[in-house]
């Protein structure tokens, strides 16, 4: 099946984004087996929020941001988490979709490429997953937490690597953040798991 032009345009911009980021090129090859799958759109609040309040892009990320905004109404947006896990306020300002991957708008088994949106003033608690991960920030900024590492404030064009099953978290302050995330290795189709909180003494 041929992808609609709005999907092809966003995929081309994502591919160019990957090619322009040395960390992304080092992390994974751009998948060469992508096949468009006609998935039913599903809207969340993030569908509109990405269009109206995406956060600031860089000069290099602006074309990708525009393409993703045009794509927003056509996407199968997901939450994965429940209100019990993360709270309703979080869900009202968060959403993600799988651009490419085992269950993506473009199917591949070689990597997983997701796009996540968080509104300002949110805390995405500690979580982990088998797959290795490279975050790239497309717009806005946020504070990235990683166990046994210093917090880092990242904005458009910055990246952060998360090793397999190493817990990480994200806090947004006065801006939303839009990220494009690559996964590699085992567990490409799995959902992240919230990390049990240790009791502090
Ligand atoms: Zn992660």
């Amino acid at each position: 099946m041929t992808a609609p032009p709005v999907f092809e345009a966003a995929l081309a911009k994502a591919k160019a984004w990957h090619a322009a980021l040395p960390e992304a090129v080092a992390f994974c090859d751009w998948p060469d087996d992508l096949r468009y799958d006609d998935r039913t759109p599903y809207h969340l609040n993030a569908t509109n929020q990405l269009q109206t309040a995406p956060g600031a892009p860089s000069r290099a990320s602006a074309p990708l941001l525009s393409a993703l905004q045009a794509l927003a109404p056509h996407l199968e947006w997901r939450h994965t988490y429940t209100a019990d896990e993360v709270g309703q306020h979080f869900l009202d300002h968060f959403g993600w979709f799988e651009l490419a991957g085992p269950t993506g708008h473009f199917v591949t088994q070689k990597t997983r490429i997701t796009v996540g949106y968080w509104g300002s003033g949110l805390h995405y608690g500690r979580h982990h997953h088998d797959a290795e991960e490279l975050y790239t920030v497309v717009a806005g900024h946020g504070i990235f937490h990683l166990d046994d590492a210093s917090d880092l404030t990242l904005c458009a064009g910055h990246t952060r690597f998360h090793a397999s099953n190493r817990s990480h978290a994200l806090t947004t302050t006065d801006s939303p953040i839009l990220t494009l995330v690559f996964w590699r290795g085992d567990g490409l189709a799995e959902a992240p798991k919230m990390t049990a909180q240790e009791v502090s003494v």
Side-chain angles (χ1 to χ4, degrees):
M1 179 178 288
T2 307
V6 70
F7 276 94
E8 287 292 359
L11 189 71
K13 294 292 187 290
K15 184 177 182 181
W17 178 247
H18 171 269
L21 284 175
E23 298 92 339
V25 171
F27 182 79
C28 63
D29 292 334
W30 186 259
D32 58 4
D33 60 342
L34 295 172
R35 174 178 59 79
Y36 176 72
D37 189 18
D38 187 21
R39 303 187 71 87
T40 304
Y42 185 84
H43 289 180
L44 298 171
N45 288 349
T47 310
N48 291 330
Q49 291 162 354
L50 169 56
Q51 293 171 302
T52 59
S58 65
R59 182 183 292 255
S61 71
L64 174 59
L65 172 60
S66 295
L68 294 174
Q69 289 177 306
L71 193 58
H74 308 283
L75 293 164
E76 181 199 43
W77 287 89
R78 304 179 191 176
H79 265 156
T80 307
Y81 299 110
T82 66
D84 279 349
E85 289 174 300
V86 295
Q88 189 60 45
H89 179 80
F90 185 95
L91 294 182
D92 288 344
H93 300 83
F94 163 69
W96 68 278
F97 63 88
E98 188 170 321
L99 180 64
T103 63
H105 287 280
F106 292 90
V107 177
T108 175
Q109 307 300 326
K110 295 187 174 182
T111 186
R112 188 186 209 187
I113 305 170
T114 61
V115 175
Y117 173 91
W118 291 261
S120 59
L122 295 184
H123 180 64
Y124 179 21
R126 290 169 69 242
H127 58 281
H128 60 277
H129 37 77
D130 287 347
E132 295 182 305
E133 175 173 72
L134 185 76
Y135 263 83
T136 75
V137 180
V138 177
H141 57 260
I143 304 167
F144 284 71
H145 317 283
L146 177 62
D147 281 12
D148 304 319
S150 301
D151 288 352
L152 279 183
T153 297
L154 303 185
C155 59
H158 291 158
T159 68
R160 191 165 226 200
F161 173 73
H162 295 145
S164 177
N165 285 313
R166 188 147 168 217
S167 291
H168 46 277
L170 171 64
T171 302
T172 55
T173 54
D174 59 348
S175 167
I177 192 168
L178 180 70
T179 65
L180 188 141
V181 180
F182 299 96
W183 274 19
R184 70 181 182 194
D186 294 336
L188 287 186
E190 293 173 11
K193 304 170 197 69
M194 299 306 284
T195 306
Q197 297 297 315
E198 289 121 28
V199 178
S200 52
V201 290

